[in-house]
Structure formats: structure tokens, C-alpha cells
Amino acid sequence: MGFEGLDRDAVSFYAELRADNTKTWWTANKARYDAAVRGPFEALGAELEPEFGAVKIFRPYRDVRFSADKTPYKLHIGMVSQATVAHYLQLSEEGLMLGGGVYDVPPAALARFREAVADPRTAEDLDALLAELRDAGFELMRDDALKTAPRGYPADHPRIELLQLRRLAVGRREPPADWMWTPDAYDIIADDWRTVSTWCAWLSETLGAELLEAAQSSRRGRSDRM
């Protein structure tokens, strides 16, 4: 079956899970999760892959080992393209979150980003790109930004808000809407991912060597542990 739209019941599923985030409730509703949440997400991913590359759908289980919150299940389903600079999609009770970039930025890549922000030769193009993204509804994610200037940069730098970033990702949210439950969802989501691609391309071009080196090091580390 091709993608026919996300399932409206996914919103209700996550609202009910939030109210009763237990193994008992999950077990009773596992077939509903497979049919209304994961199934349509997998079908959407299959249609996005030819243009955006292989995607990964995240497991529904939370890692509670180091968290004070011991509720076992995530209140959303997420999908990410399997690239160093990735596209992301999330569905929850609140609707969709679309975005992409680099969430966990290696130190060398973050240093290179700050150099590009401070360099007038690259900052002008970056400012224009960010303006286009804002016009399309995307904002830089600042949930982990520094409160002060990073070392080596003045607090009154004209682009201090960019220098403070530690996550190089953009995103925007869409509340539940009728188009999400129709085949039109593919076209709208794919178009948003194409917008995100402009940010991903800038990151890849500007930070490419640092990002590639970190990705290769990470893969070697995982191989060493196997």
C-alpha cells in the first residue's frame, strides 16, 4: 500500500498515552499503534526515501536509565534521514514538527560554524539563507544555546544569537490539520524538507570536513564496541 495520509487517530493515541503512560495501556493498544501511528509513518518514509535518502523511524521506548522521568514510552513518533546532516519529522498530540540540520554538533564543526558566523564573507550569505527559512516558518532551535558569548567572542557581537548556538538545527511546528490525513501530506512534507535542504546544504558545504571526520570517528567507535 502506498502512502494515503497520516492517521487522525495518532493524535488521540498520544493524548491517551500521555494520560496513562504504562506498559498495561501500551500492551492493550499496541495493535492500534502499529496501524494508526507506525504504519502510515513507514509508508510516508518509503515515499520520501527516493529523494531524501534512507530514513530511520525511532523506537517508541524511552531511555530512562539516566532520567528522573521513568515513563516508558515516547509521546511522539520520529523519523530522520540517515545522513550526517539530516532531515527530521515528528508526529505527536500537538501535530507535526518538521526540521533538520545537525543536533549533536562535534566541537570542531561548532568552532567552524562560529568562524563562518563571524566572517563577513560568509555571514552575509548565512543571513540571507536564515531570512528565507524564517519566511517559510522555520526557526533555529535554541533549546541548548549558551547564555553568554562563547570563549573568544565579544558579548556585543552583532550575531551573538548565532554564536551562542550549540545545536545547528531548524524546525517549525504544524498543529493538527485536515491535510495531514490525506495523500496531500506527502507533497506538503516533502516541500518543507526541500526547504530544510537549503540549510542542510549550507552546513554540509561550510562544515563538511569537520562533520565527516566526526561521523567517521563515531562509526569507528561503534565498530570497536561490536
Side-chain angles (χ1 to χ4, degrees):
M1 290 287 291
F3 178 68
E4 297 295 329
L6 300 169
D7 195 315
R8 189 187 304 269
D9 186 45
V11 173
S12 299
F13 177 90
Y14 282 115
E16 294 170 33
L17 177 59
R18 176 174 50 82
D20 188 5
N21 196 327
T22 64
K23 184 176 181 180
T24 299
W25 188 92
W26 180 268
T27 300
N29 289 272
K30 176 61 165 57
R32 180 181 171 199
Y33 167 81
D34 291 337
V37 182
R38 189 175 183 94
F41 230 57
E42 289 178 340
L44 174 60
E47 296 208 7
L48 291 168
E49 283 187 338
E51 180 173 353
F52 299 98
V55 302
K56 171 187 175 182
I57 296 177
F58 291 103
R59 288 158 51 90
Y61 313 107
R62 295 183 63 249
D63 184 351
V64 300
R65 291 174 297 172
F66 309 108
S67 175
D69 179 2
K70 299 302 182 182
T71 51
Y73 304 103
K74 298 174 184 176
L75 298 180
H76 62 266
I77 185 171
M79 173 196 305
V80 64
S81 62
Q82 297 190 55
T84 305
V85 185
H87 298 72
Y88 182 72
L89 178 68
Q90 178 177 297
L91 172 64
S92 69
E93 177 185 358
E94 288 79 26
L96 293 178
M97 198 279 278
L98 307 102
V102 184
Y103 196 71
D104 294 315
V105 187
L110 188 57
R112 177 70 190 95
F113 172 77
R114 289 170 177 162
E115 291 172 1
V117 168
D119 187 339
R121 294 171 297 178
T122 50
E124 184 176 349
D125 287 342
L126 175 58
D127 288 344
L129 171 58
L130 291 174
E132 293 175 1
L133 288 166
R134 284 194 296 272
D135 287 345
F138 288 90
E139 297 289 344
L140 286 162
M141 296 182 180
R142 298 190 56 83
D143 56 305
D144 194 40
L146 296 172
K147 302 299 183 183
T148 59
R151 183 176 301 176
Y153 295 94
D156 62 350
H157 192 283
R159 295 184 179 85
I160 186 62
E161 291 189 353
L162 295 178
L163 293 172
Q164 290 172 330
L165 293 173
R166 290 196 288 187
R167 305 196 192 284
L168 304 183
V170 298
R172 77 180 186 89
R173 296 186 180 275
E174 283 281 353
D178 288 342
W179 62 263
M180 296 177 184
W181 330 126
T182 74
D184 291 342
Y186 165 77
D187 294 315
I188 295 171
I189 291 167
D191 193 51
D192 275 338
W193 271 19
R194 292 182 191 111
T195 300
V196 172
S197 291
T198 63
W199 174 243
C200 294
W202 187 90
L203 290 175
S204 295
E205 180 180 349
T206 307
L207 316 179
E210 288 82 359
L211 290 173
L212 180 60
E213 182 179 349
Q216 290 173 338
S217 176
S218 176
R219 284 194 291 270
R220 286 194 298 268
R222 287 196 298 268
S223 177
D224 291 342
R225 294 191 296 270
M226 289 179 67

